[in-house]
Amino acid sequence: MAVALTEKEFSQHVNTKFQLNLDGQEVDLELVEVKGYLPQAHEQTAMERFSVFFDGPGSVRLPQRLYALQHEQMGEFEIFLVPISGNEKGFRYEAVFNYFRKSEPPAVAGG
């Protein structure tokens, strides 16, 4: 089953857990916000632009890079995460999506 990585799809899973494997250690991230961006006058039409924000534990600070995330309903997919804030209590990560909409949104194989 393919999962479309769209603002609508992520919005259905706010406040749920995603898992990633970091060198043999499983790390849980919670999807806490999905933020859509309004089209700008200078942009081409049919753009999908949004960010997703995850909260993670304070015991592990993930470096900026591509990660394979696993979710109970969305399956497994790769996503580029950037740490944007944090302290010993927890870290927040952002992934930005910016692509042209097609008849079918980008999809990845689910697991």
Side-chain angles (χ1 to χ4, degrees), residues 60-88:
V60 178
R61 183 186 183 278
L62 302 172
Q64 173 178 306
R65 73 173 212 206
L66 189 66
Y67 292 95
L69 291 186
Q70 176 72 36
H71 185 264
E72 183 178 331
Q73 286 148 349
M74 291 182 70
E76 187 171 341
F77 57 91
E78 289 189 330
I79 190 170
F80 192 85
L81 294 175
V82 177
I84 57 171
S85 65
N87 57 33
E88 65 281 347

Side-chain angles (χ1 to χ4, degrees), residues 23-87:
D23 303 323
Q25 176 185 5
E26 188 172 287
V27 178
D28 284 337
L29 300 177
E30 182 175 350
L31 178 61
V32 293
E33 182 181 358
V34 178
K35 179 181 177 184
Y37 299 105
L38 295 174
Q40 302 296 310
H42 65 279
E43 288 181 337
Q44 293 179 325
T45 58
M47 291 292 295
E48 177 88 10
R49 295 183 334 114
F50 66 97
S51 290
V52 294
F53 298 89
F54 295 93
D55 281 349
S59 57
V60 178
R61 183 186 183 278
L62 302 172
Q64 173 178 306
R65 73 173 212 206
L66 189 66
Y67 292 95
L69 291 186
Q70 176 72 36
H71 185 264
E72 183 178 331
Q73 286 148 349
M74 291 182 70
E76 187 171 341
F77 57 91
E78 289 189 330
I79 190 170
F80 192 85
L81 294 175
V82 177
I84 57 171
S85 65
N87 57 33

